[in-house]
Amino acid sequence: MARVNIDISGISELKWTGMGEFNSDDYYIYYCGQESLRRNGVALIVNKRVQNAVLGCSLKNNRMISVHFQDKPFNITIIQLYAMTSNAEEADVEWFYFSSLL
């Protein structure tokens, strides 16, 4: 079986609760979920080789997370979003787009 070399991966619809970060084997995981419901949720998984370049992360809410990396010639930020579907309540859609701007 071939091994896949992925340095950074985004996950949507994560079923974990709460927010945090932790090591798991060769990866570092940043995640944001709801406090009690196991729905929505996002995560960024970073290979340990790339973890040394992480300048910081923003565990924003259960639909948005970002990690800021040191790179050359520019630093970069990767944002993982989990947007609403077309059948979502209008108030939820407005909350998502408004909170993403903050």
Side-chain angles (χ1 to χ4, degrees), residues 21-30 44-48 51:
E21 53 189 74
F22 63 92
N23 286 315
S24 179
D25 297 324
D26 292 334
Y27 297 92
Y28 203 81
I29 301 168
Y30 301 90
L44 278 170
I45 302 173
V46 178
N47 185 304
K48 282 188 180 175
Q51 172 60 25

Side-chain angles (χ1 to χ4, degrees), residues 21-84:
E21 53 189 74
F22 63 92
N23 286 315
S24 179
D25 297 324
D26 292 334
Y27 297 92
Y28 203 81
I29 301 168
Y30 301 90
Y31 69 95
C32 292
Q34 290 190 9
E35 287 301 315
S36 59
L37 296 176
R38 294 187 175 276
R39 64 180 186 155
N40 307 335
V42 290
L44 278 170
I45 302 173
V46 178
N47 185 304
K48 282 188 180 175
R49 291 180 299 128
V50 178
Q51 172 60 25
N52 294 332
V54 172
L55 296 172
C57 71
S58 175
L59 306 174
K60 186 121 174 121
N61 59 51
N62 66 309
R63 290 189 175 267
M64 181 178 175
I65 188 171
S66 66
V67 178
H68 192 63
F69 296 89
Q70 181 178 7
D71 201 6
K72 291 183 181 179
F74 305 102
N75 294 341
I76 61 171
T77 300
I78 295 181
I79 302 169
Q80 176 67 27
L81 295 171
Y82 178 44
M84 313 302 192

Side-chain angles (χ1 to χ4, degrees), residues 76-96:
I76 61 171
T77 300
I78 295 181
I79 302 169
Q80 176 67 27
L81 295 171
Y82 178 44
M84 313 302 192
T85 60
S86 60
N87 62 351
E89 297 289 328
E90 187 66 28
D92 291 338
V93 173
E94 288 178 11
W95 169 85
F96 171 76

